Amino acid sequence: MAAHPVEVLPPSGRTLSSPKVVTNSLLGGCRMGLLRKSPSWLLLARRLSLALLAGGILITLVALAPSRVRYPYFASRERRGIWLVDVTPETGIAFRHTDGSSGRKYIVETVTAGLATFDYDGDLWIDIYFLNGTWLPGTNPGGEPPRNALYRNHGGFRFQDVTLFAGVGDLGYGLGVTVGDFNNDGFPDLFVNNFGPNALYRNNGDGTFTDVTDEAGVRGGNLVGAGAAFLDIEADGNLDLYVANYVQFDFSTHPVRTAEGYRIYPGPMDFLPERDLLYKNNGDGTFRDVSEESGIGACAGTGMGMICADIDRDGDTDVFVLNDVAGNFIFVNDGKGHFEELGLWLGGAYSGEGRALGSMGIDCADVDHDGWLDFYATSFAREWAVLYRNLGDGRLADVTAASGAGAGTYQHVTWGAAFVDLDNDGDRDLFVACGHLYDNVELFDPTGAYRAANVVLENLGNGRFRNISQEVGDGLHPVKSSRGVAADDLDNDGRVDLVVLNSREEPTVIANRSSREDSRWIEIQLFGVRSNRDGVGSWVGVFEGGMEHWAEVHSGRGYQSHFGSRLHFGLGNHQRVAKIEIRWHGGQTQVIENVPTDRLLTIVEGDGAYLLPPF
Amino acid sequence: MIRVRWWILPGIAALVAAVGLVLAWVFRGQPSGGQGGSGPWEWQKQPAQLEGGPLEVAVSSAKKEALSLAQELCRRFRDDAEALCIFGLVESRFGDRRRAVDAWKRALRLVPDYADAWYALGEEARLRGDFSEAITHFRRAVDTGKAEARVLLSLATLLIQEGRPAEALPYLEQYLGAVPQSIEGWYRLGQALRLQDRLPEAKQAWMQALRLDREHKTVLYALGEVCEKLGQHGEAERFRREFARLEARDRLNPQLRRTWYDDLAAAREGLAAAHVAVAKFLAVRGDWELAEAHYRRAAEVDPRNTAARIALLEWAAENARWQEALRWVEELAALQPTELEWALRRGAVLLQLGRLEEAQSAFLTATEIAPGRPEGYVALAQLMVYRNRDLEGARHWARRAVECAPSAANYHLLAIVCERQEDIEAAVAAAKRAVQLDPLNPEFRQTLARLLDRWQVVAARAEPSSANGD
């Protein structure tokens, strides 16, 4: 800016003997007087300093700004492809997970915990329920005991802690959770699988829950829990309950393990396996333990994540339980609530090399549009997560190498996994939560990391996946030791978002800001009448443009978590859906035709479909 | 004189702050492993040795010894690529991965086609999960033409795991040409063929692996899967049942469960490996005395280390220190009780010590370990001939040797035994067979000539007899 010589009059009005040069600064209004003319380098330095000062202030403001300010370009222009944004600071979620660790390295500390996303109050906004650990021997208790937390979704990624009001602040050592309307009153209930006595919370429909564990008969004893799931084993319209258990653990027999001289956690092989539990719903608010008579009790394992799904598409629900460093279980249902363990024979017990992996979480989806559910199991470090392709008759084949679905997972311990169509192109992509269970792993394994970035694998639609973790925005920038992950449309914009529970830290909430171009969608909520109210076990097929998209309603999935009660389908550029076919778990089939996209659809069994207006 | 203007200090501060903010912005939120967080768990990052437990102290001590060993080697042999490679291996095992990588890279600057260094870099990349880089390094190792066979297998395995079976096949064929008895080689070949949907060939490769080890669970699992795919359900079930049986057996084995966490054993193994590497290095450079000391230390540190014991056995035998050789061979036989060689070597050493009965017992053990191999029978027959006792027994063993391996040498041995028994007819027949099989061997021809001299009259009148010494 040029200097404009201005005559400055002293207060007395007399002109000074030496001319003063007044220069307008960049800040506008800052006047600087020079008693003599400055050299040019000094002028340059001055201007540079001021420019840097202004630039530094600007950068600071932007860096501290919320994401929507940080990415105004993308918010308005909608970046093409998958784009995930970390919106955690804006959510108001203050939950912080604890595993109760004190340095004694109890094995239970490594496996907490899962989380659930579900609409607990029926306002069509998906809420979040976080599990928490609690104090263990050696922990120095102080202040409020840790508890689980329920956050109500107010839209726009704003959440409110309603735990105490709702009455679901369980004080147990939370490991797994599932959601299901076990009494068919239209309100989803909560089951928490703890280390110690479990808890069943009945949803009262008024924003509160009641602990009905003892009344229902599902307290379960002093076991180390794992995943859990509601399922209807006989298609009688009532949701039964499968409870996986981990190992037989007792504080008094806890072994000490070291690696390179450093204390580490013991592993499942240091303990005896434990049997899972199956409870039959009596239809009157109570359950009966049918573990032995159903055949489930014949097998003891080291259960972790699990999912109930119709693997062989014979109309009933089977159970796939991952076992940690042991062969996984696939309990095949005969339709009458009796199960036979056939994991080895169906190809899902081990990796393709016949190895029992340190299996953690599992999800399923029809990855290749052949109408059969494929499965994805996460695992320990120096092991790939495994993609099992369903060969069409319930038999599974490890296609990890051929598909690239293990990319980015080898060096990490992987936990929660979610098949979710992030870009609404019709193919299920993968989100994988990562983080080591040894909090001191860097001391003895330089390739390991306690905190690790999560992984996103894009489904290319040709049977292959591509690791795009470095290209999806700052949604993967929070680097923590992640455990459970839940995928649901939290802001009802048709793009599935993600919530990650991180061990010993705050969770991560990730908004899906993927491009809206050629990314139509439809979300379907089932309402059973003869079938169970949530439609658990029912199949939905969406037909468009010659393509079939099939999905099943599950309760309990991923790493000891629950999400996706509302089915989401990405539809590419299709404006309308030609047909939606629902195969209710009770056996009834229903067809809805010519449905517009970009909407939430509620389908009532035997009645009709109700399109909700856009949010 | 430069006057300090009032705006200079804030200007400098702004400059520093702006640079810092820019850097923070650039690197903000970049995914990185990083160290564990702060908080109440910091003390856990201290080595457990602070607790004073003997296990932790022993492990820490082993690590320190290995690291100082490697450092001393590099100090003595500066700018030696092999020394740098050894240093890198020890550092990667016990110390700092970055120093290990630096060492290997320095080795490659000295010797650009140093295959072991390329392999080490490849392994490091593989453990990090950077398979693309690992494949590149493994390929460089192979391209030097000096890589050990295991590099071919490692490269092929990675290519298969990356879904590139066609590229893996040539390496596997080359590997199996060098190591035809490698179970893993055949397994990986089957894997590569399976990925290409060449199911019958995959099955063939896995069957070959199974012939080498009938209880190899991975191979059994693969065969179960491929038979199922081929519609051979009965076979598939048979393989899967066998797999399930072995898996259940292993799960009940407390030793198998425990060794997964044997921290001290792992540390000792690493330390012993370091000593062995240094010993080999020194031996090649002629410093056998020091090399022997390192081998001894390796054997002392790791009761399961075979490499050191083998080297010490060879060294003791070469120097006719038979009592010491006996010690090492007995330790090897205890470590590898199903290994034929140690039974044979033990017998040979006992012979040298004049303990003939024990030597005979050792050779008998060899025949029990490997009843289908001729070596034990040969040794027994030779010993009995040497002792000139139980020649009928010697003939029995010589005959067994011929049955296992009808080679010229074994026929010759049989001829000698028959001659000792004064059964010249049978001896001649056996000697003739030996010469037929190896006509250029002068010893066999001399034996035959000598026997014919003794039999010249008898042979002219005798009926044709069996060449098998019956």
Side-chain angles (χ1 to χ4, degrees):
Chain A
M1 189 169 292
H4 301 280
V6 175
E7 186 172 337
V8 178
L9 295 176
S12 63
R14 286 186 292 112
T15 302
L16 294 173
S17 58
S18 300
K20 285 188 180 179
V21 177
V22 177
T23 304
N24 284 326
S25 74
L26 289 173
L27 295 176
C30 174
R31 301 179 62 189
M32 293 184 290
L34 298 173
L35 296 183
R36 58 175 181 274
K37 188 177 178 182
S38 306
S40 60
W41 68 267
L42 208 54
L43 272 172
L44 185 63
R46 188 167 61 211
R47 289 169 185 171
L48 191 60
S49 298
L50 290 170
L52 286 170
L53 180 64
I57 293 170
L58 183 62
I59 289 171
T60 304
L61 287 172
V62 173
L64 295 174
S67 59
R68 67 184 64 146
V69 175
R70 200 160 60 236
Y71 295 105
Y73 173 78
F74 301 118
S76 60
R77 286 287 306 270
E78 298 295 352
R79 186 184 177 83
R80 293 194 70 83
I82 297 173
W83 193 251
L84 305 175
V85 175
D86 175 21
V87 295
T88 314
E90 306 152 35
T91 60
I93 293 176
F95 173 77
R96 184 180 174 89
H97 175 265
T98 179
D99 60 3
S101 51
S102 61
R104 295 186 184 186
K105 307 283 191 192
Y106 295 123
I107 191 172
V108 292
E109 298 163 21
T110 64
V111 291
T112 172
L115 73 161
T117 50
F118 68 113
D119 182 9
Y120 86 96
D121 53 356
D123 64 355
L124 299 177
W125 294 96
I126 305 287
D127 313 295
I128 310 173
Y129 185 67
F130 296 104
L131 294 192
N132 212 344
T134 190
W135 298 325
L136 296 173
T139 311
N140 187 16
E144 284 286 316
R147 59 174 76 241
N148 298 345
L150 176 64
Y151 280 84
R152 182 166 183 258
N153 189 345
H154 285 281
F157 289 102
R158 291 170 297 114
F159 293 84
Q160 178 193 9
D161 186 348
V162 296
T163 311
L164 292 179
F165 175 77
V168 290
D170 191 64
L171 296 175
Y173 197 97
L175 293 168
V177 61
T178 189
V179 171
D181 185 2
F182 80 90
N183 56 354
N184 286 329
D185 64 354
F187 306 113
D189 311 299
L190 263 177
F191 177 80
V192 182
N193 196 357
N194 285 327
F195 165 42
N198 300 324
L200 176 64
Y201 290 99
R202 186 190 63 214
N203 191 334
N204 300 320
D206 59 358
T208 67
F209 291 76
T210 301
D211 184 343
V212 295
T213 314
D214 289 321
E215 175 187 324
V218 294
R219 193 161 285 279
N222 204 37
L223 303 176
V224 179
F230 283 106
L231 71 159
D232 189 352
I233 62 176
E234 296 173 311
D236 64 356
N238 293 313
L239 284 179
D240 311 299
L241 177 63
Y242 189 103
V243 180
N245 292 306
Y246 189 36
V247 295
Q248 295 185 33
F249 168 73
D250 188 277
F251 289 114
S252 63
T253 56
H254 165 69
V256 173
R257 296 286 174 246
T258 61
E260 308 284 333
Y262 297 100
R263 282 281 295 272
I264 59 170
Y265 286 98
M269 297 293 280
D270 284 306
F271 305 92
L272 291 174
E274 184 60 86
R275 296 180 201 285
D276 298 339
L277 297 167
L278 179 63
Y279 294 100
K280 174 95 177 65
N281 190 334
N282 296 321
D284 58 1
T286 66
F287 290 81
R288 181 170 62 91
D289 186 341
V290 296
S291 309
E292 291 301 321
E293 63 195 79
S294 66
I296 298 295
C299 305
T302 48
M304 297 280 276
M306 59 165 293
I307 193 163
C308 298
D310 189 358
I311 299 174
D312 49 7
R313 288 206 75 166
D314 62 352
D316 53 48
T317 304
D318 313 303
V319 183
F320 197 152
V321 183
L322 296 186
N323 286 316
D324 194 1
V325 199
N328 303 322
F329 293 152
I330 299 181
F331 291 107
V332 177
N333 192 342
D334 68 353
K336 302 186 186 64
H338 300 113
F339 295 84
E340 185 182 4
E341 201 292 295
L342 296 174
L344 173 61
W345 314 104
L346 294 178
Y350 303 93
S351 72
E353 295 186 359
R355 291 178 56 213
L357 303 182
S359 302
M360 304 297 193
I362 183 168
D363 199 16
C364 72
D366 180 10
V367 169
D368 47 7
H369 299 289
D370 64 355
W372 294 86
L373 290 174
D374 311 297
F375 294 82
Y376 191 78
T378 56
S379 59
F380 197 67
R382 306 263 173 90
E383 298 173 348
W384 280 273
V386 179
L387 175 62
Y388 293 101
R389 181 169 173 262
N390 195 322
L391 299 178
D393 54 1
R395 286 182 302 118
L396 305 173
D398 179 350
V399 295
T400 311
S403 67
T409 65
Y410 181 78
Q411 65 270 41
H412 299 308
V413 180
T414 48
W415 299 86
F419 275 118
V420 53
D421 188 353
L422 289 169
D423 50 2
N424 286 337
D425 65 352
D427 298 314
R428 305 274 175 176
D429 311 298
L430 269 166
F431 182 94
V432 184
C434 305
H436 217 288
L437 58 87
Y438 297 149
D439 54 0
N440 55 356
V441 64
E442 291 94 343
L443 296 174
F444 53 86
D445 178 3
T447 64
Y450 175 63
R451 292 189 175 86
N454 300 320
V455 169
V456 172
L457 303 176
E458 182 185 12
N459 186 339
L460 300 177
N462 57 358
R464 288 201 58 86
F465 287 79
R466 186 172 73 95
N467 186 354
I468 58 170
S469 306
Q470 303 295 324
E471 310 163 22
V472 295
D474 75 347
L476 300 189
H477 285 187
V479 178
K480 298 172 190 276
S481 196
S482 304
R483 299 287 183 269
V485 63
D488 257 311
D489 185 1
L490 297 177
D491 56 350
N492 289 329
D493 66 350
R495 295 175 289 191
V496 179
D497 312 294
L498 299 145
V499 186
V500 183
L501 184 142
N502 300 307
S503 181
R504 301 182 188 170
E505 294 192 74
E506 295 78 12
T508 305
V509 181
I510 302 171
N512 186 346
R513 297 270 189 253
S514 303
S515 168
R516 290 185 189 277
E517 288 183 45
D518 296 336
S519 59
R520 301 293 186 151
W521 55 274
I522 192 164
E523 291 178 2
I524 298 174
Q525 181 76 53
L526 295 186
F527 192 86
V529 176
R530 280 178 51 194
S531 310
N532 64 82
R533 190 57 47 85
D534 292 332
V536 171
S538 301
W539 282 63
V540 176
V542 172
F543 297 74
E544 48 79 13
M547 184 78 86
E548 294 180 25
H549 306 266
W550 284 97
E552 186 183 35
V553 180
H554 302 114
S555 156
R557 62 201 295 181
Y559 179 68
Q560 301 178 178
S561 300
H562 171 91
F563 56 91
S565 295
R566 181 195 295 173
L567 297 178
H568 171 273
F569 297 86
L571 301 170
N573 59 2
H574 293 272
Q575 309 270 353
R576 300 190 76 81
V577 168
K579 181 174 79 166
I580 298 175
E581 181 178 327
I582 305 95
R583 297 182 189 171
W584 293 95
H585 191 50
Q588 193 178 358
T589 301
Q590 192 171 346
V591 175
I592 316 286
E593 290 182 335
N594 196 23
V595 181
T597 57
D598 291 356
R599 303 289 280 278
L600 171 58
L601 185 69
T602 297
I603 301 177
V604 180
E605 183 178 8
D607 187 355
Y610 301 90
L611 265 180
L612 284 151
F615 286 89
Chain B
M1 186 180 76
I2 297 175
R3 288 183 62 180
V4 177
R5 304 294 175 181
W6 66 268
W7 46 261
I8 287 182
L9 289 177
I12 293 171
L15 173 64
V16 170
V19 170
L21 284 167
V22 167
L23 289 173
W25 173 256
V26 169
F27 293 106
R28 179 178 181 279
Q30 289 291 327
S32 66
Q35 294 288 324
S38 59
W41 332 121
E42 277 294 327
W43 68 270
Q44 293 175 49
K45 293 190 185 136
Q46 302 310 311
Q49 69 196 52
L50 292 179
E51 298 174 355
L55 170 68
E56 292 82 4
V57 169
V59 169
S60 178
S61 170
K63 285 164 65 174
K64 280 185 188 153
E65 182 178 335
L67 288 169
S68 71
L69 179 69
Q71 284 159 9
E72 176 62 19
L73 183 72
C74 270
R75 191 190 64 76
R76 283 188 58 191
F77 297 91
R78 288 185 185 283
D79 296 333
D80 184 302
E82 190 178 348
L84 283 166
C85 204
I86 293 172
F87 175 85
L89 288 170
V90 175
E91 276 287 340
S92 70
R93 173 69 178 81
F94 289 120
D96 190 314
R97 177 172 62 93
R98 279 178 294 255
R99 280 204 290 267
V101 169
D102 284 342
W104 294 323
K105 287 181 175 174
R106 276 176 58 199
L108 286 168
R109 281 197 289 274
L110 292 167
V111 181
D113 64 345
Y114 190 19
D116 285 350
W118 285 117
Y119 179 67
L121 283 173
E123 270 295 296
E124 190 274 337
R126 184 186 69 81
L127 289 172
R128 261 190 294 115
D130 190 339
F131 302 119
S132 174
E133 184 182 333
I135 287 171
T136 301
H137 290 320
F138 285 153
R139 280 207 157 114
R140 291 295 295 268
V142 169
D143 289 345
T144 64
K146 302 170 192 168
E148 292 180 20
R150 62 180 172 152
V151 183
L152 294 163
L153 183 62
S154 298
L155 175 55
T157 301
L158 264 189
L159 287 166
I160 290 168
Q161 288 164 347
E162 287 285 275
R164 294 152 66 177
E167 293 175 60
L169 279 173
Y171 295 112
L172 284 168
E173 282 157 13
Q174 199 177 336
Y175 174 76
L176 285 167
V179 192
Q181 304 293 315
S182 166
I183 296 168
E184 188 176 354
W186 288 106
Y187 172 71
R188 294 296 176 194
L189 178 63
Q191 238 189 348
L193 293 166
R194 169 71 184 87
L195 275 176
Q196 295 185 306
D197 280 331
R198 292 159 65 177
L199 301 184
E201 293 169 86
K203 182 184 175 185
Q204 212 171 346
W206 285 329
M207 289 303 296
Q208 178 61 31
L210 199 65
R211 281 184 210 105
L212 294 167
D213 182 354
R214 305 214 69 83
E215 293 193 342
H216 200 285
K217 287 192 296 187
T218 304
V219 173
L220 286 164
Y221 189 87
L223 280 165
E225 192 253 347
V226 77
C227 286
E228 190 70 47
K229 270 296 245 186
L230 288 168
Q232 299 160 1
H233 303 296
E235 270 192 274
E237 174 146 350
R238 183 167 62 83
F239 288 125
R240 283 180 172 151
R241 286 203 186 284
E242 180 63 5
F243 172 88
R245 183 187 73 79
L246 294 168
E247 181 72 3
R249 179 199 67 183
D250 290 345
R251 295 228 148 240
L252 292 173
N253 185 336
Q255 185 58 29
L256 272 181
R257 294 163 75 96
R258 182 67 184 91
T259 52
W260 293 7
Y261 295 93
D262 199 333
D263 193 22
L264 183 55
R268 283 176 175 160
E269 187 184 336
L271 174 58
H275 276 288
V276 167
V278 171
K280 284 182 183 171
F281 176 88
L282 293 169
V284 162
R285 283 152 183 78
D287 192 345
W288 251 110
E289 193 177 325
L290 197 51
E292 187 182 355
H294 281 288
Y295 278 130
R296 286 186 186 282
R297 180 63 181 152
E300 176 192 1
V301 156
D302 183 6
R304 300 188 61 82
N305 186 283
T306 54
R309 286 170 172 78
I310 290 170
L312 288 165
L313 168 63
E314 299 295 344
W315 182 241
E318 273 183 37
N319 291 276
R321 300 194 317 239
W322 298 115
Q323 199 59 45
E324 188 181 334
L326 182 64
R327 172 198 167 184
W328 297 122
V329 77
E330 284 183 338
E331 287 188 15
L332 284 164
L335 287 170
Q336 297 178 329
T338 59
E339 187 60 45
L340 172 66
E341 183 177 356
W342 308 136
L344 292 170
R345 294 289 293 268
R346 182 166 174 269
V349 169
L350 286 164
L351 266 178
Q352 295 292 338
L353 288 169
R355 289 152 66 171
L356 302 184
E357 287 296 333
E358 291 173 79
Q360 185 166 322
S361 176
F363 292 141
L364 198 59
T365 302
T367 64
E368 290 161 5
I369 288 171
R373 297 277 296 272
E375 291 90 339
Y377 306 124
V378 168
L380 277 168
Q382 286 177 336
L383 175 59
M384 287 169 175
V385 166
Y386 170 75
R387 298 177 78 181
N388 211 24
R389 285 165 54 177
D390 191 9
L391 292 176
E392 191 55 39
R395 187 163 175 164
H396 165 73
W397 295 124
R399 201 180 311 132
R400 289 295 302 274
V402 166
E403 285 168 4
C404 285
S407 65
N410 290 345
Y411 274 113
H412 182 256
L413 174 63
L414 180 60
I416 297 298
V417 172
C418 291
E419 183 184 17
R420 287 293 185 90
Q421 283 189 307
E422 297 298 328
D423 185 352
I424 305 303
E425 181 181 359
V428 166
K432 276 185 177 174
R433 192 77 183 102
V435 171
Q436 274 174 3
L437 289 170
D438 190 1
L440 298 179
N441 191 307
E443 185 185 359
F444 300 164
R445 291 203 308 272
Q446 283 171 11
T447 301
L448 178 59
R450 183 178 74 250
L451 287 169
L452 284 173
D453 283 344
R454 293 184 62 182
W455 185 243
Q456 59 183 349
V457 176
V458 178
R461 290 201 306 257
E463 295 290 327
S465 65
S466 162
N468 290 329
D470 294 329

